[in-house]
């Protein structure tokens, strides 16, 4: 039983869809229909309208590549030598944005808190107001998956909008989108991926892009050919290269299931699974890294100092339950249960926590 915070278990109707006869994405008109339906469904899940007036419009795109491609494409499309980027962070993915920015020649200013702390909003205000600062872009992460932390992106956006209405924002919502509400209408580039709350296999990076972000990308004329959203802005004359047909079919089917259930019902299912996971953990004496207030409905990171790998291995060998350890420095101290997408079900959480209880 795969209960990691991505990739998540892929439900049977999605696997069935993937096993159908392969169609050629460049010559078969059926592929265009599937891609169009996929982007319609994605727009609904993102809560955006491509045809909205003015600043409210967001186009959605799905690129062939793992979620990281979306993070890199956002930076590659918006950063050139000298671009000043404020990277707001309280975790590994937040910090990782600074590495992307520097690898494309940008000037990254990392405004960071410890991994068990909230986003440093006062330091954000100070950095935005600092004399001589002239940021073009701010990056941040909604759910820091390695610590199971859901960040208050709305509060950060309030500060950014108050400081400078022209600032572009890039938000990694890879492990929250589809399980938790995301303020996508206030974000210029909002990133998602197929293998988290959508419960499709890894293989597609998704984004909702504002008109002013498109304009900034066009002005910069990105140098990367593959890590680039622009060729996907208008695909009415064809795709820039062969699309990952099976991944597109899978994500379309997965989003169909999600929307049949309804976004509110899906979010409630995530809340219920997360609450149960933490109740069971508390009964075992386990604490979560960010505490109850800031834990994400999509993933729980339990503190298990020095024991994560041993617990992971025993769970896998004796109970056939697959969990994740932490990432980076504290990897051995954190055991993570992914209750996202198809796995956000109380019965699956009960089975997982029964196994964890037995192993502990
Ligand atoms: C999973 C994830 C990604 C995608 O990249 P991986 O290669 O799976 O790490 C990006 N951002 C976040 C926050 C994620 O959880």
């Amino acid at each position: 039983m795969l209960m990691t915070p991505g990739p998540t278990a892929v439900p049977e109707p999605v696997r069935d869809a993937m096993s159908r006869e392969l169609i050629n994405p460049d010559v078969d008109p059926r592929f265009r229909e599937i891609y169009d339906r996929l982007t319609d469904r994605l727009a609904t899940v993102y809560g955006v309208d491509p045809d909205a007036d003015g600043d409210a419009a967001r186009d959605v795109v799905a690129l062939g590549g793992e979620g990281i491609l979306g993070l890199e494409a956002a930076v590659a499309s918006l950063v050139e030598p000298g671009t000043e980027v404020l990277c707001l962070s309280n975790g590994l993915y937040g910090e990782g944005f600074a590495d992307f920015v520097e690898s494309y020649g940008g000037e990254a200013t990392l405004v960071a808190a410890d991994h068990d702390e909230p986003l440093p909003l006062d330091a954000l205000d100070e950095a935005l107001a600092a004399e001589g600062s002239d940021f073009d872009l701010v990056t941040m992460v909604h759910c820091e998956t390695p610590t199971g932390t859901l960040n208050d992106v709305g509060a950060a956006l309030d500060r950014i909008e108050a400081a400078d209405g022209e600032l572009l924002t890039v938000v990694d919502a890879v492990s929250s989108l589809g399980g938790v509400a995301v303020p996508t209408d206030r974000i210029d580039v909002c990133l998602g991926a197929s293998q988290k709350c959508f419960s499709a296999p890894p293989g597609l990076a998704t984004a909702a892009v504002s008109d002013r972000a498109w304009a900034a990308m066009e002005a910069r004329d990105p140098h990367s050919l593959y890590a680039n959203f622009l060729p996907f802005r208008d695909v009415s004359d064809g795709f820039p290269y062969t699309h990952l047909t099976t991944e597109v079919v899978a994500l379309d089917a997965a989003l169909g299931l999600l929307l049949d259930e309804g976004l509110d019902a899906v979010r409630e299912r995530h809340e219920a699974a997360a609450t149960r996971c933490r109740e069971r953990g508390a009964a075992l004496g386990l604490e979560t890294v960010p505490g109850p207030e800031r834990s994400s409905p999509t993933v729980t990171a339990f503190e298990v100092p020095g024991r994560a790998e041993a617990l992971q291995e025993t769970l896998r060998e004796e109970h056939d339950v697959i969990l994740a350890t932490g990432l980076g420095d504290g990897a051995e101290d954190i055991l993570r249960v992914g209750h996202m997408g198809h796995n956000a079900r109380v019965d699956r959480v009960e089975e997982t926590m029964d196994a964890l209880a037995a192993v502990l």
Side-chain angles (χ1 to χ4, degrees):
M1 191 163 77
L2 181 63
M3 291 294 285
T4 51
T8 50
V10 176
E12 197 172 342
V14 177
R15 285 182 277 129
D16 282 347
M18 294 175 73
S19 70
R20 283 185 215 129
E21 188 186 5
L22 183 81
I23 55 178
N24 184 319
D26 297 318
V27 301
D28 192 326
R30 285 176 301 172
F31 184 76
R32 166 50 51 85
E33 280 169 33
I34 296 168
Y35 185 82
D36 287 349
R37 188 173 60 214
L38 165 64
T39 48
D40 283 350
R41 286 174 169 171
L42 258 183
T44 307
V45 172
Y46 266 97
V48 297
D49 179 2
D51 301 319
D53 291 334
D55 288 349
R58 298 285 184 283
D59 291 313
V60 294
V61 295
L63 268 61
E66 202 275 321
I68 290 292
L69 176 67
L71 277 58
E72 179 152 358
V75 172
S77 306
L78 291 168
V79 172
E80 60 193 351
T83 305
E84 291 202 28
V85 186
L86 191 160
C87 301
L88 185 64
S89 167
N90 58 346
L92 270 184
Y93 284 99
E95 287 161 14
F97 267 120
D99 296 331
F100 279 124
V101 167
E102 282 172 1
S103 74
Y104 283 89
E107 310 280 333
T109 300
L110 188 62
V111 177
D114 288 344
H115 293 191
D116 55 354
E117 294 289 324
L119 287 176
L121 296 182
D122 291 339
L124 168 66
D125 280 341
E126 283 164 28
L128 290 171
E131 206 167 319
S133 81
D134 185 18
F135 294 107
D136 304 292
L137 182 68
V138 181
T139 64
M140 71 189 99
V141 178
H142 191 206
C143 172
E144 271 288 358
T145 329
T147 53
T149 302
L150 190 74
N151 284 323
D152 189 350
V153 161
L157 291 169
D158 288 343
R159 313 270 183 129
I160 293 162
E161 287 162 10
D164 178 356
E166 300 290 301
L167 264 172
L168 293 177
T169 51
V170 172
V171 175
D172 171 349
V174 169
S175 64
S176 55
L177 197 71
V180 188
V182 183
T184 43
D185 54 336
R186 302 171 66 191
I187 296 167
D188 290 293
V189 180
C190 183
L191 302 163
S194 51
Q195 81 272 27
K196 302 284 166 95
C197 304
F198 301 155
S199 286
L204 292 181
T206 68
V209 182
S210 71
D211 279 355
R212 60 183 197 162
W214 286 126
M217 290 177 197
E218 261 154 15
R220 277 172 179 75
D221 190 15
H223 287 194
S224 176
L225 295 175
Y226 202 81
N228 189 346
F229 293 127
L230 277 172
F232 283 85
R233 184 180 188 181
D234 177 5
V235 289
S236 54
D237 287 334
F239 294 93
Y241 34 76
T242 305
H243 217 318
L244 306 192
T245 321
T246 309
E247 312 301 335
V248 169
V249 166
L251 184 57
D252 175 53
L255 295 181
L257 290 179
L258 199 159
L259 292 174
D260 281 349
E261 186 178 350
L263 284 172
D264 289 341
V266 169
R267 287 173 192 156
E268 280 164 27
R269 185 156 58 65
H270 281 78
E271 286 288 348
T275 302
R276 189 62 189 141
C277 188
R278 287 152 206 168
E279 280 169 7
R280 293 286 311 262
L284 295 170
L286 297 176
E287 290 183 10
T288 63
V289 178
E293 295 293 306
R294 292 183 293 108
S295 286
S296 172
T298 57
V299 48
T300 296
F302 288 122
E303 290 185 23
V304 291
R307 294 193 295 170
E309 214 172 304
L311 289 170
Q312 182 190 45
E313 196 177 307
T314 312
L315 279 161
R316 186 177 64 230
E317 283 174 2
E318 294 179 6
H319 296 269
D320 212 4
V321 170
I322 316 292
L323 301 186
T325 64
L327 293 175
D329 288 345
E332 257 296 80
D333 302 329
I334 295 175
L335 191 66
R336 294 180 297 154
V337 182
H339 30 75
M340 52 175 69
H342 183 62
N343 287 338
R345 293 192 151 72
V346 170
D347 58 336
R348 293 177 76 86
V349 166
E350 299 283 16
E351 205 177 321
T352 302
M353 297 306 286
D354 287 347
L356 182 57
V359 169
L360 282 169

